[in-house]
Every structure is written in structure tokens, then in C-alpha cells.
Amino acid sequence: MELKEYLDRKIIPLVRADGGWLELKEDNGESIVLTAKGECSVCRATDRCAAWVRNRVMTDLGRDVKITVERDPFLWRK
């Protein structure tokens, strides 16, 4: 399973259930950039969430990636 598909199927639904919204912005193989929207854009636990996502990706996909989260408070921006 590719990273984007994995995020869309396994990670993002869990984040959305909590009122947040993450999108994959960039994947260069060694690191990924996620855009945090909705509740995620104002959450103080973003670093812990990024560590959780990294752990899940490492466990489920066998990829050790650095994760950077960029905040975007504008929910409607694409």
C-alpha cells in the first residue's frame, strides 16, 4: 500500500473522527509534510500526533520517515 492510500484509509479517518483534518502535502521518500486543518490547525498536540503517525507508518508500512506538520487554519483552502 502506498503512503497516500495508507493515510487516506487508516490515519485520516481517525483524525477526522476527532474533529481534525490532515492532508499529505509532500512525500519525498525520507520525509513527509502534512497540512493540518480544522481542529488540527489549532491543536497543541500536533507534535505528539506527528510522532503517532510516524510510528504507525513505521509499524504498518516499514518506512521510517520524518514528519513535518504545517498548520493551515483556513478549512476551505485547497
Side-chain angles (χ1 to χ4, degrees):
M1 181 180 306
E2 286 188 33
L3 180 64
K4 179 160 179 28
E5 180 183 2
Y6 175 77
L7 292 173
D8 288 345
R9 287 185 175 191
K10 303 288 184 177
I11 301 297
I12 292 173
L14 296 173
V15 174
R16 285 194 178 174
D18 200 32
W21 182 356
L22 292 174
E23 290 182 355
L24 179 63
K25 181 177 179 183
E26 183 180 321
D27 175 10
N28 71 8
E30 294 179 9
S31 64
I32 62 175
V33 177
L34 299 174
T35 302
K37 297 183 177 188
E39 291 299 316
C40 287
S41 68
V42 295
C43 181
R44 294 181 182 181
T46 304
D47 292 338
R48 286 183 287 176
C49 185
W52 170 74
V53 172
R54 179 177 181 254
N55 187 22
R56 293 286 306 261
V57 169
M58 195 172 358
T59 301
D60 295 343
L61 299 180
R63 285 184 61 183
D64 186 11
V65 294
K66 177 185 176 199
I67 297 180
T68 304
V69 179
E70 296 178 351
R71 297 172 189 267
D72 183 357
F74 300 103
L75 188 60
W76 59 85
R77 187 183 332 213
K78 297 233 177 202

